[in-house]
Amino acid sequence: MSDLRALYQSLILDHGKNPRNKRVMHDCGDAGQCRCTEGFNPLCGDKLTLYVRANGDIIEDLSFEGHGCAIFTASSSMLTEVLKGRKVSEIRRILDKYLDMLTNEKAIPDPEGLGKLAVFGGVKDFPTRVKCATLPWRALEVILEGVDGQQEIVNTETD
Ligand code: ZN
């Protein structure tokens, strides 16, 4: 178990230091295919803009910009990496499972369904960091609920 934990920690460190898909989508909001939402976690100071480009029911591309702690950065990076190319319906299932893992006291992490995202289950042991790990996912939730051409700001302290 400690080997697994170490592997998990190195995954978070790697993504925290070398985030994937950290870039702006400049056509956001114009064509309607790309949506973006801003998110802010005042408890830690994490701040992001999440960009999602859909093609039909496939999410073709995801990226983010922002700054914050290593857990926030790793969570945003892995979200974009793991979800790219998946169907919206599949992404909704992963999203629900991920938020459940981190916010539901009784939820048992299911690594089968979450793949390497299950590493963030360990964040639950540090309650003050849970919102760092959920912020990009809350932003994604808003985008999937999506109102075209409207930007909504996610603030972890208002829900
Ligand atoms: Zn943070």
Side-chain angles (χ1 to χ4, degrees):
M1 188 61 202
S2 64
D3 280 357
L4 195 63
R5 224 184 155 79
L7 174 74
Y8 285 174
Q9 276 171 359
S10 74
L11 201 54
I12 290 183
L13 279 177
D14 175 35
H15 278 263
K17 276 187 191 155
N18 308 296
R20 319 312 193 251
N21 305 305
K22 192 163 187 280
R23 60 187 149 80
V24 175
M25 286 188 203
H26 288 288
D27 60 342
C28 179
D30 293 338
Q33 280 199 330
C34 175
R35 288 182 185 154
C36 60
T37 292
E38 290 176 39
F40 182 47
N41 172 17
L43 285 184
C44 178
D46 308 310
K47 208 170 187 306
L48 99 157
T49 307
L50 183 70
Y51 302 90
V52 173
R53 186 192 309 283
N55 185 357
D57 65 342
I58 302 287
I59 300 298
E60 240 177 18
D61 197 13
L62 299 103
S63 70
F64 76 103
E65 258 300 328
H67 55 85
C69 65
I71 290 173
F72 153 76
T73 305
S75 175
S76 304
S77 170
M78 281 172 69
L79 177 154
T80 61
E81 189 180 70
V82 168
L83 301 184
K84 198 185 270 195
R86 290 185 193 256
K87 280 188 166 180
V88 172
S89 56
E90 196 183 352
I91 288 176
R92 279 185 205 279
R93 273 203 301 279
I94 295 171
L95 171 72
D96 286 348
K97 221 169 210 193
Y98 181 90
L99 291 178
D100 211 38
M101 172 177 78
L102 278 162
T103 59
N104 186 337
E105 277 308 312
K106 295 204 172 93
I108 300 159
D110 176 8
E112 285 297 312
L114 285 171
K116 62 184 175 185
L117 292 171
V119 304
F120 290 99
V123 174
K124 217 170 159 184
D125 298 338
F126 308 94
T128 56
R129 312 314 292 273
V130 164
K131 284 173 178 169
C132 305
T134 57
L135 179 62
W137 295 83
R138 296 285 185 205
L140 178 67
E141 202 172 28
V142 167
I143 289 179
L144 292 183
E145 280 166 14
V147 183
D148 273 318
Q150 259 191 356
Q151 279 193 28
E152 215 177 309
I153 296 177
V154 176
N155 186 316
T156 58
E157 296 312 294
T158 54
D159 59 15

